[in-house]
Amino acid sequence: MNLPVIIKFVIDLLAVLLLALGIKGLSKVKSARDANRLAAFAMSLSVVGLLSYYLGTSGIAIQSWIWIIIGSIIGSLFGAILAKKVPMTSMPETVALFNGCGGMSSLLVALGVAIFPISGGQENLDFFKSLINEVSISVSIFVGAITFTGSIVAMAKLQGWLSTPGWTQSKVRHFVNIVFAVASLIAFFDLINGNTSSIWLLVIVSSLLGIGVTLPIGGADMPVVISLLNSYSGIAAAAAGFVVDSQLLIVAGAMVGAAGLILTQVMCKGMNRSLVSVLFGGSLSAQSTASTGSGEYTNITSCSVEECALTLEAANKVIIVPGYGLAVAQAQHTLREVTKKLEQNGIEVVYAIHPVAGRMPGHMNVLLAEADVPYEQLKEMDVVNPDFPATDVVLVLGANDVVNPQAKNDSSSPLYGMPVLDVQEARTVFVIKRGMSAGYSGIKNDLFDLPNTSMVFGDAKKVLNDLIGELKDLGVGEK
Amino acid sequence: MSFISLLWVLLLGSLLGLELIGKVPPTLHTPLMSGANAISGITMLAALTLIVKAEGNVPLLIIGSVSLGFALFNVVGGFFVTDRMLAMFSRKPSNKK
């Protein structure tokens, strides 16, 4: 072994170690930020390792440098700008977009190698080796394309650019997707038989498959899909590693692929859904219209902001249940103002965070952290649920399905079995909501009908602002 | 590298990934997903390899460069956005009076 090979070997080994430590560290609050930087450092290290290896062996042509620099600058620039500009509320779709581009990158590498076989040994491959080569190219294209189109569809749906077309909820979609899957299998075998042009067929049908699989999935399940697609992009990277013969790519890709799978599983558990039902069950709302059609409310109590303020003032313990609606209204900062006032009056304030509050697990924590809510006030569901009976007032802000008692009481409900926050146990519940529309699942919320629940209608931000005014009039929060 | 040893690498890498995240608090799901996502942009190395080995083949250089762009978009954006999210958690203690 000559020197460049040894140096690359050492750098690769170091990079893998640091990446593993990075992923490990990302799963603990204390070490997460450093771990993220460590992983970023490991990635740059791996680039340095690869470039120095080529400089020390074959050398890098000027022309190659030019294209490397063009690609790097454009990609990094756009990535950095988007990462800096994007609001915290659209984090899920941003991750989806980044993820899709990673998949696209693997696809392009495989496509490039397939159309223009890399010089240097590839011409005189024996049958076994060329088979492996073709299989890894196909896998890379197949998974890469699904990751790309799937992520883009997921992003578009989360952004509200795409809705769920009606036909995708019928059984037809399974048939369509099976056709795409079979077609990609045919393209795959054709490719192995030496018909290079069928690679385009593979690209097209696997892209369509990515769309066909993602499109029917409802908005509430999207985070799980994104996490799964994230796992796919790892697999695509590992496949690309086989294509260009890079162990580092294979290890890193496999790590992300496996870690993504675990994370997907954890998320499914939080929503009481199995991965199979998320992928093939269609959107939850479509099922619910069939099973629980009775969406009529019979006993709605609505009340004014003033009443709400009076009740809050008299409370000893208040639990806030934030949901995605809060984030949409950008009201997390206003909410913080309200709770500050309450705290100044000696009222205990706690935030109850459902595992899937917001649109992604942990998303709500990020949003509240942005509004400077102390970390200790955020309580997870299992911790906070026993506290509800001893709570005077619960303020539900833009959350819906996660506080639906149906999930506990009504075994015919599609929500049945999903872990929910037992807000109805509290003395008074205020639900701040724009109107009577249903939540993500499209299911009627029995909570709204309960005698101890009052609805405060209005935009979350406006209601909270009014609330601040009312509390001020009552002298809450002033010394 | 022989194919068999690459398979070993794949297997061990997967096992490592399965082991690494056992208990993740829900708070960290989003940042973890986004951080792992940035790492999957490691295909940038494959794109680099493609460009270096293109040897003046312009279409291949272009494909490699576009691929590199996509990968770096993923990597740079992913790490930045993860850092932004995590910064909000760590800012907390200093802000408290």
Side-chain angles (χ1 to χ4, degrees):
Chain A
M1 269 211 266
N2 49 356
L3 193 61
V5 176
I6 296 173
I7 291 178
K8 178 162 185 295
F9 183 72
V10 172
I11 289 185
D12 278 5
L13 215 56
L14 194 64
V16 170
L17 185 72
L18 295 181
L19 281 178
L21 287 175
I23 295 184
K24 176 105 190 130
L26 269 171
S27 57
K28 292 196 183 60
V29 178
K30 260 194 202 148
S31 55
R33 199 173 183 198
D34 291 332
N36 183 51
R37 290 180 173 169
L38 192 67
F41 172 71
M43 298 282 275
S44 357
L45 193 66
S46 68
V47 171
V48 172
L50 190 76
L51 289 179
S52 66
Y53 169 73
Y54 284 126
L55 280 175
T57 52
S58 59
I60 300 174
I62 299 286
Q63 210 180 5
S64 295
W65 275 119
I66 294 173
W67 286 103
I68 289 174
I69 291 169
I70 293 176
S72 321
I73 289 182
I74 295 178
S76 314
L77 206 64
F78 276 106
I81 291 174
L82 181 68
K84 285 256 178 299
K85 288 266 159 78
V86 68
M88 277 296 149
T89 39
S90 15
M91 217 30 85
E93 41 272 53
T94 310
V95 174
L97 177 65
F98 284 141
N99 189 45
C101 291
M104 187 55 161
S105 173
S106 299
L107 183 152
L108 285 174
V109 167
L111 206 58
V113 174
I115 308 173
F116 312 100
I118 295 177
S119 59
Q122 298 275 15
E123 295 85 2
N124 45 19
L125 288 176
D126 59 42
F127 173 75
F128 184 59
K129 272 213 168 140
S130 72
L131 180 72
I132 293 166
N133 205 33
E134 275 153 6
V135 170
S136 36
I137 286 175
S138 307
V139 172
S140 189
I141 289 181
F142 181 67
V143 183
I146 290 183
T147 308
F148 178 69
T149 56
S151 299
I152 298 301
V153 169
M155 182 194 76
K157 287 191 86 165
L158 285 172
Q159 278 281 356
W161 295 336
L162 258 183
S163 59
T164 313
W167 67 268
T168 58
Q169 295 303 329
S170 67
K171 294 268 179 273
V172 182
R173 71 170 195 277
H174 294 305
F175 176 73
V176 172
N177 286 334
I178 289 171
V179 169
F180 288 150
V182 170
S184 40
L185 212 60
I186 292 172
F188 167 66
F189 283 116
D190 209 27
L191 194 68
I192 289 179
N193 269 336
N195 187 356
T196 328
S197 59
S198 62
I199 202 161
W200 298 109
L201 179 66
L202 185 63
V203 171
I204 293 168
V205 283
S206 29
S207 302
L208 288 173
L209 186 61
I211 298 173
V213 169
T214 319
L215 206 53
I217 297 172
D221 288 331
M222 238 5 137
V224 177
V225 177
I226 294 176
S227 173
L228 188 67
L229 288 169
N230 180 29
S231 167
Y232 285 177
S233 71
I235 298 171
F242 276 97
V243 175
V244 300
D245 229 10
S246 158
Q247 310 155 54
L248 180 54
L249 234 66
I250 297 175
V251 179
M255 253 178 357
V256 171
L261 221 51
I262 297 276
L263 191 58
T264 311
Q265 203 59 47
V266 172
M267 285 187 185
C268 280
K269 234 182 241 167
M271 301 165 73
N272 192 41
R273 300 265 276 150
S274 73
L275 192 54
V276 176
S277 68
V278 167
L279 290 181
F280 304 109
S283 105
L284 207 54
S285 55
Q287 297 168 358
S288 64
T289 39
S291 54
T292 50
S294 56
E296 290 303 308
Y297 290 98
T298 47
N299 184 28
I300 295 293
T301 325
S302 106
C303 81
S304 66
V305 177
E306 196 186 347
E307 284 172 69
C308 180
L310 280 166
T311 322
L312 278 174
E313 190 216 1
N316 288 317
K317 179 167 172 140
V318 174
I319 296 184
I320 315 271
V321 180
Y324 188 70
L326 176 80
V328 171
Q330 290 286 334
Q332 62 269 37
H333 294 94
T334 326
L335 173 66
R336 179 71 186 124
E337 293 290 302
V338 172
T339 54
K340 258 188 200 154
K341 282 207 177 313
L342 296 176
E343 282 164 38
Q344 280 162 4
N345 242 34
I347 300 168
E348 189 190 346
V349 179
V350 164
Y351 299 76
I353 311 291
H354 188 272
V356 291
R359 275 188 174 175
M360 237 195 219
H363 190 198
M364 192 47 69
N365 303 60
V366 175
L367 294 174
L368 290 175
E370 190 190 12
D372 277 333
V373 172
Y375 186 70
E376 309 79 62
Q377 287 188 5
L378 307 180
K379 293 269 160 61
E380 282 175 31
M381 181 176 63
D382 296 335
V383 179
V384 83
N385 259 347
D387 289 354
F388 281 112
T391 301
D392 302 300
V393 182
V394 170
L395 220 52
V396 178
L397 286 145
N400 195 339
D401 294 331
V402 298
V403 293
N404 194 338
Q406 253 186 33
K408 275 227 164 75
N409 309 327
D410 182 358
S411 58
S412 71
S413 167
L415 286 179
Y416 187 68
M418 181 173 107
V420 285
L421 293 160
D422 304 323
V423 291
Q424 72 280 359
E425 305 283 328
R427 218 163 48 176
T428 315
V429 180
F430 288 108
V431 179
I432 298 179
K433 219 174 163 312
R434 243 193 269 252
M436 288 311 296
S437 61
Y440 252 141
S441 65
I443 292 162
K444 178 196 169 199
N445 194 336
D446 289 350
L447 174 74
F448 302 166
D449 263 346
L450 295 176
N452 58 339
T453 302
S454 298
M455 310 293 294
V456 182
F457 289 113
D459 172 75
K461 193 167 191 169
K462 189 175 171 301
V463 170
L464 287 170
N465 264 324
D466 293 349
L467 202 55
I468 294 177
E470 293 290 344
L471 288 172
K472 213 176 257 168
D473 290 347
L474 291 168
V476 173
E478 273 148 44
K479 282 126 233 171
Chain B
M1 249 341 229
S2 83
F3 177 65
I4 300 299
S5 41
L6 288 180
L7 273 188
W8 274 108
V9 170
L10 179 73
L11 180 73
L12 293 176
S14 311
L15 285 177
L16 188 58
L18 290 178
E19 276 308 306
L20 279 178
I21 49 166
K23 296 183 293 277
V24 198
T27 324
L28 283 178
H29 284 180
T30 302
L32 177 64
M33 192 201 285
S34 145
N37 174 38
I39 294 176
S40 71
I42 189 98
T43 48
M44 65 183 177
L45 296 184
L48 276 176
T49 307
L50 205 64
I51 298 177
V52 171
K53 291 195 171 173
E55 288 180 351
N57 181 340
V58 176
L60 191 56
L61 282 170
I62 294 175
I63 293 180
S65 186
V66 173
S67 169
L68 183 65
F70 270 114
L72 272 167
F73 178 72
N74 186 185
V75 174
V76 174
F79 279 127
F80 266 126
V81 106
T82 311
D83 191 64
R84 239 182 91 192
M85 278 190 258
L86 293 170
M88 288 171 184
F89 292 131
S90 48
R91 197 180 54 194
K92 218 61 354 84
S94 56
N95 261 21
K96 262 190 83 182
K97 273 153 244 165

